[in-house]
Amino acid sequence: MFYREAGQFKTSYEADQALFPIRQDRIGLAVILLIAFVGIPLTANDFVLTSIMIPFLVFSLSAIGLNILTGFAGQLSLGTGAFMGVGAYAAYKLTSLFPDVNVIVMVLCSGFFSAAIGAVFGLPSLRIKGLYLAVTTLAAQFFLEWCFIRIPWLYNYNASGAIEIPSRDMFGILVTGPEATPLTRYFIVLAITSVIALLMANVLRGRIGRSWMMIRDMDIAAELMGIRPLQTKLLAFAVSSFICGVAGAMMVFFWLSAAEPSSYSIKLSFQILFMVILGGLGSLSGAFMGAAFIWILPVVLKFVPGMLGFDIEAATVEHLTFMIVGALIIFFLIVEPHGFARLWQIGKQKLRVWPFPY
Amino acid sequence: MNAIVSNLAQPVGQPKTAERDLLLRVDNVSLSFGGVKAITNISFDIQKGEIRAIIGPNGAGKTSMLNVINGFYHPQEGTITWRGEVRRKMKPYEAASQGIARTFQNVALFKGMTTLDNIMSGRSLKMHRNFLWQMAWFGPARQEEIEHRRKVEDIIDFLEIQAIRKTPVGKLPYGLQKRVELGRALAMEPELLLLDEPMAGMNLEEKEDMSRFIVDVNQEFGTTIALIEHDMGVVMDLSDRVVVLDYGKKIADGPPEEVQASQAVIDAYLGVSH
Amino acid sequence: EDTNYVPLLTYRTGAYAGSGIHIANGMHDYLAMLNERDGGIGGVKIAIEECETGYDAQKGVECYESTKGKNALVYNPYSTGITLQLIPKASVDKIPMLSMGYGLSAAAVGNTFPWIFNVPDTYWDGASVAIKYIAEQEGGLEKLKGKKIGYIFLDAGYGREPIPLLEQLSTKYGFELVQYPVPGKEMQNQSSQWLNIRRDRPDYMVMWGWGAMTPTAVKEAVKTRFPMDKLIGVWWSAGDEDAAAGGEAAKGYKAMNFSGVGSDFAALGDIKKLVIDAGKSQTDPSSFASTLYNRGVLNSVIIAEAIRNAQEKTGKKVLTGEDMRIGLESLDLTADRLAEIGLADFAHPMKVTCEDHAGGNPVFIQEWDGKQWQKASDWIEPMTDVVRPLLEAAAKEYAEKNAPWPARTEACPN
Amino acid sequence: MLYDIFIGPFVQMVEMPDFFLQVLWEGFVAGILYALIALGFVLIFKASGVFNFAQGIMVVFAGLTLVGFYESGVPALLALLLTIGVMGALAYGIERFVMRPLVNQPDIILLMATIGLTYFLIGLGEFVFGGEPKRMIAEELGLPTGSTAIEMGERGLVILQHIDIAAAVIAILMVTALGIFFNKTRIGRALRAVADDHQAALSVGISLNQIWAIVWFAAGLVALATGIMWGARSDVSFALEIVAFKALPVLILGGFTSIPGAIIGGLIIGFGEKIGEIYWGGLVGGGIESWLAYIIALIFLLFRPQGLFGERIIERV
Amino acid sequence: MQTQEMTRTKAPAGAGDAILSVNNIEVIYDHVILVLKGVSLTIPRGGIVALLGANGAGKTTTLKAISNLLGAERGEVTKGKIVFKGDEVQALSPNDLVRKGCIQVMEGRHCFGHLSIEENLLTGAYTRKDGAAAIKADLEMVYNYFPRLRERRQSQAGYTSGGEQQMCAIGRALMSRPEMILLDEPSMGLAPQLVEEIFEIVKQLNEREGVSFLLAEQNTNVALRYATYGYILEAGRIVLDGDAKALRDNEDVKEFYLGVGGEGRKSFRNVKHYKRRKRWLA
Ligand SMILES: Nc1ncnc2c1ncn2[C@@H]1O[C@H](COP(=O)(O)OP(=O)(O)OP(=O)(O)O)[C@@H](O)[C@H]1O
Ligand SMILES: Nc1ncnc2c1ncn2[C@@H]1O[C@H](COP(=O)(O)OP(=O)(O)OP(=O)(O)O)[C@@H](O)[C@H]1O
Ligand SMILES: [Mg+2]
Ligand SMILES: [Mg+2]
């Protein structure tokens, strides 16, 4: 009975189509935003900001990106890492070519490059489907990774082959580079992620979002209803890659501050895919939940033995972390294949009928 | 409801034979898959505003015929004339944009979406706000969304599925899924509505409901309907003309009573006369 | 209780664990031995904490962030990728970073990189030694003209680092340099590279391998019947398992080294007795005193000596990162001192200065005799004259690319 | 430039025939080894529609177990038997704790579960066996280790490793055996039925539990064979897991469900990759092997979306 | 009330010798959606029992609960018990149940799309151990029942027409030589002639081989003609049961399920919209 919707009547379609039609959800969101914008900055230390919150937000954003492609448009992609890399390298090149332009503008612009590349690799999706499509995205992954290594122009001919982010400021405050405070970087990442998430929430509940889901759920029927499959899929590839690109650029600009090609390897692709699936395919809030689980859990697990007073070797902790994360992934898939988002919904459903079991 | 009245509505009960009233004509169409001849040299036509039934035994080629009409299959031979224009190799989405909508034999709803979204998806072709507007939401995009939502709500009312508006369709019972599918096709405001066994798996009461919807759609909005159905009661009561296929060939074509009496049809399809 | 906190970024998991485990053991065991035997350094125990990176840059940064708050004295990332990411961070956080014989070569320029140390050598020193050694075999640098030298390397920051120097030397001495990159994913699948090598028939091969890449390369070299005595690995390709993968047939494989071979050192005896036999380490006794293990020991020796030095210089017992930097920057590890700590001849004496954080110390060549590594040459000096200007230029370029790069503010300790 | 692309490589092939033969041989061997991994994937895919991502780590795991037993003093052949036992237990465990609860779930969920399994096995493997690479006990198992050099012309030499020949023989034997198993037995038909529709398979009385335990065990055996062969070439280490990615293009090329497809796909990729890398790779800086296989597969796919031997993707309304 | 009375007084024929009895089962999907709220059925050995009811009443769910296929849909039986041939079967796996002689023809065909029609039929014989010849003979029998299938035997099932798939699904179940068949909407999508034929087959099998049937059907008319006993399910509860004949004569059933209300059969064209209220729910 805690989660009670009764008595909340929608009197207009506007109200019914709001993002969060139910009051409890709106309150919940407000609380989360309050924590994110006020609570965390006031309480968190540098470690929490740089090693937990910033990566968490970056991953959430890329999970949103992948979710659009895989969760909403139904095109399985294993190339997320590389698309993020395109964003990172594009942003890096842009900032070194136009050193005076605001980095944030550059980070956002980098998305267009990854969008273009994503669309190119999306072309075969017209003919190739499902797991078979995974191979084209894998081709993208490995080919782009190879480009990051083999085209020295991309990393300004650095001997190390890595990109290193120079310090840049905005309105007199350092926003990138080692001297930028974690808090500044946190706020930027938070702002970009929330704005993009909001914009995407809008797109997804409208015509375009629906057309993606139509393609996902039954492409033949969608086509017979007037959806042009190629255009729709390419748009999904482009939008998804755009977001992943921005996330990739943020990853190196506001988090790692230097990146090698291996930072954008297939491992990253899988990490993001995990987040999307565990969070719930086709759910924006799921992207956040999945990112939290996959990124934060291992970090936290590392500290558990120490806190409990066990003296376990770092490597053993790592092994155990692997096992636990693997087992939990399977566990959660079994509990709810549709991810945390669905789990949350069912939880709400239970709250609704509480204290009765159903 | 009037909102979705097609502007091409035809007064009912007028003679339906004039050539200018011809909506679609199929001429000598043949279709085969590898060795299987699904359709052999079939011709028939559909008049504006009529309910045209296609019947025949299982595997006769009825579904394939619909697939040919809306461009999902491309016949090896023959032509299709749509509103006086001969068309070839049309893409399915082009057929949709020309006003052909359909439902499917094996329900082909978008399983991950709610009833509302499924029906809204039928309006895709009528919505035009671009990506940027959609991102911003407030303003034109929302306006458009609400405008179409109104029409969709009309359809929901019409089909009496208000209660399941927000339910994901995957979990609905079969009969309701078929109804939602009809709603989705109606949302396209089609000129020609192709129904593939809309009443399979329904009990009598639901068949009655469904019949009522079909008749209403036909009469009130003048939508032309091509209907595949195995329940002879329904076919006989609803249709204006019936074409009968067997093994990919046309064996009869005409008003229901005539067809029902034809010996060829009885042998091939009906078995004992009904 | 006061301690000096030394985090060790190690990897005992992942694709590079094969090399990483020995390093980690060596580093850990020496420091643990000091705690056992001497009660730490200067009477203050060393708090040793390993953080597992899995050779992964993201996790490396995470380790750094999670430990730096505990007053970390120095970082040893053991991955060029992690080093690159930490260079700017460490410089801002004022914690020295010791990348012993790896990382960014340009970091040797202390004026630009006051917080980064790469004694005893940079990769460029190493590459120059390899070329010098080849020249010695051929009978002089001028004999290099017209020779073909292949360079097979792990295609990552690590393996690409020496290329600029090798190219420079190739133009200077007129030999042809042929590159054979091995993608990280294909480490264990090098048949293409070795087929190419077979076709190109280089006179010598220089190898920058790490983890599973090295043993695979050695095996492939044996398979394609490349003359093993013409294959020279960097000091990170000098592991015992690396060569053992080729077995008897790998006889003649050479690798550079700058840390002691074997267990005949008093300090190692102490480690064995006080740490390993006492069950205070993860070291598998059979891998004790292997090349990479000893490398890890040397790493800890430098840390320990820097701590001692810093304690002397600052008069404090419990140090901070900044104190540690002073200790590192005025480190002078003489032969006498090495003997004093029970490691006579374990390494070449090394001295760090404000200008030179690497030292360009000589290295020697060891050779696999089919069962064991044997020392096969004397100490060979790198071509400092070629390397140093390149280092200066690279440092300058780095600072420019990363402008505004903070100028050195730390006074030289002496 | 044009010469380098269109003429040079062919001139080289003709001028150095021994080398060309060697390249072909290496391509053949690589192909066989890829095929071995792909075979493991095909088995499970065919029998459950699951894309088993964990095949790569199973290879490592099998290899490590074998070497682990040997190192702890068990004679080689006994170690082999024990390892087979362990793979059986693993198969049972996977069936019981991963597959059974996930019956009838969409492909992607099952794919994810196998990735979760991969994580788990990596952790477990490193926990039990440690992270160091281990030497494969090929000799002790009675596999040939030497090499034969065939002289050709004056300086020409083609070197054949005996272990590679053994790998080819084993692969061909396994493919034949599995091919017969799938096509000629009632279980084979049941496997394909399961892959199509879990629920319907249940409804006609096919025991998914039994079937899955069988195929995972078979995949475990294939993994063991793969582990021995790959391990003998390099070493048994966790880095090997990555090689499994190579199986993907092979699989896609051959078709997910075809056993001969795995072999033929493997060979196409093996030859294509080696020839591409050796004769053309240098033009763009080398290392193209890391993606060439995918591009080859992609090109084939554009013409046959279901792979060379895959079952037609059914599209019907 | 008349209907209630009927439920109480008339037990299904031969209840003492029930091949299958379902006692007061409850089914929940996803841990929260309660679908069956206490359903009890008895199928006598050699009987044909029809399970009728509107869309979403829970017919399919009941059948799946019996054949233990709910697990695959995240549903579970939370209460009650199911007894088949004297043993409780809730804990058995579906294949054990098939071995025991109870097979289900699933709603919506569920043919194995990539297998040919013939292979589909052969999977039906998976659990049989009585040799290739017997299986071959049965294959012939199925082909004789459905000549259309013989024509399409080599086609991939995924490409055959809806009706062909339906025949294939039924034929597949027959191949297992069951003692009890749970038929879920067998007539769906079949031509009228075939519908009759299928029910004739049901009758033949029942009479000649003593196979028992539980039919979930929408086509009440035919179903009640062939069945001996019927249950009517509404919203997860049995609201009415009785001999087929008694049900056929029941006024409510006539009106709502057979379409022959007071004034005979109405034309589909002229049905008027009115809010139906089932009397037994009142
Ligand atoms: N894509 C295809 N490939 C191969 N054969 C096909 C294909 N589509 C249809 N067929 C075959 O063509 C014939 C006609 O099929 P169709 O689906 O049109 O029949 P139908 O009249 O709709 O039958 P039903 O009433 O059973 O649905 C069938 O025998 C079917 O097997
Ligand atoms: N997997 C599921 N998860 C949740 N609810 C379900 C699921 N399957 C069925 N239901 C619900 O259970 C109820 C009963 O469904 P069921 O399929 O048993 O009905 P039915 O009587 O067979 O209907 P029909 O005549 O349409 O086949 C329906 O309301 C349906 O929405
Ligand atoms: Mg049909
Ligand atoms: Mg049903």
Side-chain angles (χ1 to χ4, degrees), chain B residues 174, chain E residues 59-60 107 184-185:
Chain B
Y174 194 75
Chain E
K59 304 183 292 296
T60 303
E107 173 182 48
D184 201 349
E185 314 231 1

Side-chain angles (χ1 to χ4, degrees), chain C residues 45-364:
Chain C
K45 280 217 173 197
I46 311 159
I48 316 163
E49 188 185 19
E50 283 191 35
C51 185
E52 175 69 35
T53 67
Y55 201 73
D56 176 298
Q58 283 175 22
K59 280 203 194 136
V61 173
E62 186 194 314
C63 278
Y64 172 83
E65 297 286 349
S66 69
T67 49
K68 76 174 188 199
K70 301 185 194 167
N71 190 18
L73 290 195
V74 60
Y75 280 95
N76 325 262
Y78 268 98
S79 137
T80 298
I82 301 178
T83 311
L84 291 173
Q85 305 223 344
L86 293 188
I87 285 175
K89 288 187 201 284
S91 307
V92 170
D93 295 332
K94 300 200 179 294
I95 305 173
M97 188 162 63
L98 170 62
S99 45
M100 185 189 77
Y102 58 89
L104 184 70
S105 297
V109 181
N111 278 326
T112 315
F113 298 96
W115 294 93
I116 318 298
F117 297 84
N118 44 3
V119 277
D121 284 291
T122 66
Y123 281 144
W124 294 356
D125 294 320
S128 73
V129 168
I131 299 299
K132 210 164 151 185
Y133 178 74
I134 292 172
E136 241 168 61
Q137 305 297 302
E138 292 291 318
L141 284 164
E142 61 289 344
K143 292 275 169 51
L144 287 178
K145 196 163 202 71
K147 288 272 179 305
K148 199 188 250 183
I149 297 180
Y151 176 58
I152 183 163
F153 59 100
L154 183 66
D155 201 1
Y158 159 66
R160 272 196 305 270
E161 191 68 39
I163 293 176
L165 184 95
L166 287 172
E167 281 173 343
Q168 175 104 3
L169 292 179
S170 129
T171 31
K172 184 161 172 197
Y173 296 113
F175 61 86
E176 186 189 347
L177 180 72
V178 197
Q179 299 181 18
Y180 304 98
V182 178
K185 282 194 295 296
E186 305 276 342
M187 274 194 310
Q188 296 209 295
N189 190 16
Q190 294 175 27
S191 64
S192 301
Q193 284 81 5
W194 288 93
L195 272 172
N196 272 329
I197 291 168
R198 192 185 140 184
R199 172 184 56 187
D200 300 345
R201 296 177 200 269
D203 298 294
Y204 284 88
M205 285 297 298
V206 177
M207 166 158 73
W208 241 248
W210 187 229
M213 172 182 159
T214 319
T216 309
V218 170
K219 273 195 169 181
E220 288 284 347
V222 169
K223 262 174 62 179
T224 47
R225 305 191 175 180
F226 186 83
M228 291 308 286
D229 56 339
K230 307 249 157 116
L231 176 62
I232 300 157
V234 68
W235 45 76
W236 299 119
S237 300
D240 290 58
E241 278 102 344
D242 292 343
E248 272 302 320
K251 192 164 180 295
Y253 168 53
K254 299 200 174 64
M256 291 178 261
N257 197 354
F258 53 71
S259 51
V261 181
S263 59
D264 258 348
F265 301 93
L268 290 185
D270 289 343
I271 293 181
K272 177 90 175 129
K273 194 168 78 209
L274 296 172
V275 182
I276 299 182
D277 292 347
K280 292 184 170 145
S281 143
Q282 293 174 271
T283 310
D284 175 355
S286 69
S287 72
F288 171 67
S290 63
T291 309
L292 291 182
Y293 183 87
N294 286 0
R295 190 74 46 75
V297 170
L298 179 61
N299 195 139
S300 282
V301 169
I302 296 175
I303 295 174
E305 290 309 303
I307 291 178
R308 193 183 311 272
N309 193 24
Q311 284 172 335
E312 274 171 22
K313 287 257 147 54
T314 61
K316 294 199 266 177
K317 287 291 167 209
V318 180
L319 306 173
T320 64
E322 289 176 66
D323 303 329
M324 185 67 179
R325 198 195 70 79
I326 296 174
L328 274 165
E329 204 158 48
S330 58
L331 183 72
D332 186 3
L333 196 53
T334 60
D336 290 347
R337 178 64 195 156
L338 279 170
E340 214 174 301
I341 56 174
L343 289 169
D345 287 336
F346 188 74
H348 194 273
M350 51 188 96
K351 185 168 163 36
V352 184
T353 63
C354 257
E355 296 74 41
D356 192 348
H357 279 192
N361 292 294
V363 302
F364 65 91

Side-chain angles (χ1 to χ4, degrees), chain E residues 128-145:
Chain E
R128 283 173 61 173
K129 304 247 181 305
D130 54 355
I135 292 176
K136 185 111 198 18
D138 280 0
L139 194 62
E140 271 314 299
M141 173 192 82
V142 171
Y143 282 146
N144 285 338
Y145 284 145

Side-chain angles (χ1 to χ4, degrees), chain B residues 106 160 171 175 206 237-238, chain E residues 30 55 109 259 268-269 273:
Chain B
N106 297 318
E160 295 158 18
K171 302 218 156 148
E206 291 151 348
D237 290 351
L238 296 191
Chain E
D30 273 344
N55 277 143
R109 297 154 197 145
F268 283 102
R269 201 171 254 282
H273 181 207

Side-chain angles (χ1 to χ4, degrees), chain B residues 82-103:
Chain B
W82 169 248
R83 285 197 278 185
E85 272 175 51
V86 176
R87 33 159 261 216
R88 311 184 182 282
K89 286 250 168 177
M90 186 167 68
K91 289 267 163 30
Y93 54 82
E94 288 163 347
S97 62
Q98 290 180 10
I100 304 181
R102 77 174 280 186
T103 67

Side-chain angles (χ1 to χ4, degrees), chain A residues 69 75 118-119 121-122 125 133 137 233-241:
Chain A
L69 188 59
Q75 313 295 308
F121 280 99
S125 69
L133 183 66
T137 52
K233 286 180 187 172
L234 286 190
L235 183 65
F237 266 96
V239 172
S240 153
S241 311

Side-chain angles (χ1 to χ4, degrees), chain D residues 176-201:
Chain D
T176 324
L178 289 171
I180 291 174
F181 175 70
F182 269 98
N183 287 328
K184 297 280 183 267
T185 65
R186 128 198 120 98
I187 298 212
R189 188 162 52 232
L191 293 178
R192 293 164 55 207
V194 174
D196 259 354
D197 189 334
H198 290 177
Q199 214 182 8

